[in-house]
Structure formats: C-alpha cells, structure tokens
Amino acid sequence: MKTCLVVDDSSVVRKIARRILEEIGFAVIEAEDGEQALEACKKSLPEAILLDWNMPVMDGYDFLGRLRRMPGGEEPKVVFCTTENDIDHISRALNAGANEYIMKPFDKDIVSAKFQEVGLIDQSMSPASA
C-alpha cells in the first residue's frame, strides 16, 4: 500500500484528506507543519505528500525545498493543497519541485484526478471509472 503524508495545520483538513486518501487506497501519515513533516520523511519517505502552504513553524514552501535536498527527497510526488491561487504562488511551488497544485476546498474527485495525473494511482482507481 502506498503512503501519503498529509501536511496541514488544520486538523479538519487533515481529517478530510485522510478519509479521501484511505478511500482511494493510501495509508496516511499526518503532520501539523513542515518541521513535523521533515521528521516523518527522515524516518520513511512516503510515495505522496499532500502539502499546505501556510503553516506555523515551517511553511510548505520551505518544507518542499528541504525535502527535495534530502537523499531520496526527489522521489515523493508532492501536491500542494492550498488557498493560495495566484499565478506567483503556483509557479513558485512548481519551480521548487511540486508535481501538482490543487485548491482548497477539495473533494475526492479532485484529489483522485491530481494523483492520477502524477502517476500515483491508475485510471481504474479514479471515481470517474468506478
């Protein structure tokens, strides 16, 4: 089973993301900020990371830069999941190594589609084909 690290300072967002990700076949690990997320990645790199931008301690952008510099840190597929929707934020995230970008609020269809686009799930697992 693939693992997804959900990094968000909102317990509600983490709970919603966990429910969606478990429905599409992922084991879920949670972190409240980038620092906790880095510690989790040092223990075991997940296949996927659903990453918020604005968090205390260490934001998603700083976390992403540090992740990509870690040994093996280029491997996880990172999907930014944030309310930041201006083109500057999106291009900064993608240039820093994010694989995709989704807006809050999100639902199962959106998460499934983005995870499919980056190769984390195959088409047979997407809601449209179910």
Side-chain angles (χ1 to χ4, degrees):
M1 178 178 282
K2 290 182 181 172
T3 301
C4 182
L5 173 61
V6 177
V7 189
D8 199 297
D9 56 325
S10 165
S11 61
V12 173
V13 171
R14 291 194 313 271
K15 183 177 182 178
I16 292 166
R18 173 182 287 277
R19 183 177 43 86
I20 290 169
L21 290 161
E22 287 176 346
E23 282 180 26
I24 61 174
F26 281 83
V28 176
I29 302 166
E30 297 181 21
E32 293 181 22
D33 57 54
E35 193 172 276
Q36 284 185 7
L38 262 181
E39 289 305 311
C41 289
K42 287 175 185 174
K43 291 176 187 165
S44 177
L45 281 172
E47 285 83 5
I49 300 173
L50 194 61
L51 181 63
D52 185 23
W53 191 294
N54 297 309
M55 296 176 290
V57 185
M58 182 191 301
D59 69 19
Y61 185 78
D62 288 341
F63 163 78
L64 181 59
R66 292 180 188 203
L67 170 73
R68 293 306 193 209
R69 290 189 297 273
M70 285 175 59
E74 70 287 345
E75 291 299 317
K77 300 290 187 191
V78 177
V79 178
F80 255 107
C81 178
T82 181
T83 56
E84 302 292 349
N85 65 350
D86 60 88
I87 194 69
D88 290 341
H89 276 92
I90 296 169
S91 60
R92 274 182 70 203
L94 296 174
N95 288 335
N99 299 91
E100 258 304 342
Y101 201 97
I102 60 178
M103 297 300 305
K104 289 178 183 173
F106 55 88
D107 60 20
K108 183 178 176 182
D109 291 347
I110 293 167
V111 173
S112 296
K114 291 298 182 176
F115 275 40
Q116 186 178 326
E117 283 178 35
V118 299
L120 286 165
I121 58 174
D122 63 30
Q123 201 159 8
S124 66
M125 292 181 72
S126 70
S129 63

